[in-house]
Amino acid sequence: YSGIGNAAEFVSNWPSKDKSPLVACFGLGREVFTCYYPKADDPVTVAELDALRTRAQSEGRDLLIVQGHTGFHTDMLPAEMKLLRDPAKFEEVASFPGIDSELLYRVLHAK
């Protein structure tokens, strides 16, 4: 497996109470992630991330965001990365390295 494949396996085995988690892959990598986890959402904007958090809360489900390509996203989507790094809203629960540092995939759990 690659880092993204390991992240997909991790979210597939997320210990949920009654409902499966809502899973999304943020930004770059989402096309590949859906090969491993076809049910994933693919938010790119702050509004889409906020809508997923609201949906997960209203459905009583955990929200897991898989995020890689940190350097690219920090440069190209700074507001979104600021939201994902907000410790009041998300916590990192796992990370899986790829063949270089940009391919480190983090799994974030919405608070």
Side-chain angles (χ1 to χ4, degrees):
Y1 270 157
S2 63
I4 199 166
N6 291 328
E9 183 177 10
F10 179 84
V11 299
S12 294
N13 294 310
W14 182 256
S16 296
K17 297 173 191 135
D18 297 326
K19 300 178 181 182
S20 62
L22 184 58
V23 176
C25 187
F26 172 76
L28 287 181
R30 65 189 185 276
E31 298 86 357
V32 173
F33 186 75
T34 58
C35 293
Y36 294 104
Y37 195 94
K39 304 177 280 187
D41 282 287
D42 59 347
V44 179
T45 66
V46 167
E48 290 169 334
L49 288 164
D50 283 338
L52 282 175
R53 288 181 67 236
T54 299
R55 179 178 157 202
Q57 289 172 348
S58 70
E59 294 176 3
R61 298 166 69 186
D62 288 329
L63 171 60
L64 302 173
I65 304 287
V66 176
Q67 180 267 308
H69 306 274
T70 298
F72 174 83
H73 289 131
T74 299
D75 290 344
M76 301 303 291
L77 299 166
E80 290 75 11
M81 288 301 290
K82 182 178 179 183
L83 174 65
L84 292 174
R85 289 179 172 142
D86 183 342
K89 295 184 179 176
F90 292 95
E91 67 178 326
E92 184 175 323
V93 293
S95 63
F96 302 94
I99 58 175
D100 71 32
S101 62
E102 275 298 292
L103 299 179
L104 172 70
Y105 281 89
R106 303 177 317 132
V107 180
L108 308 171
H109 179 243
K111 293 183 175 180

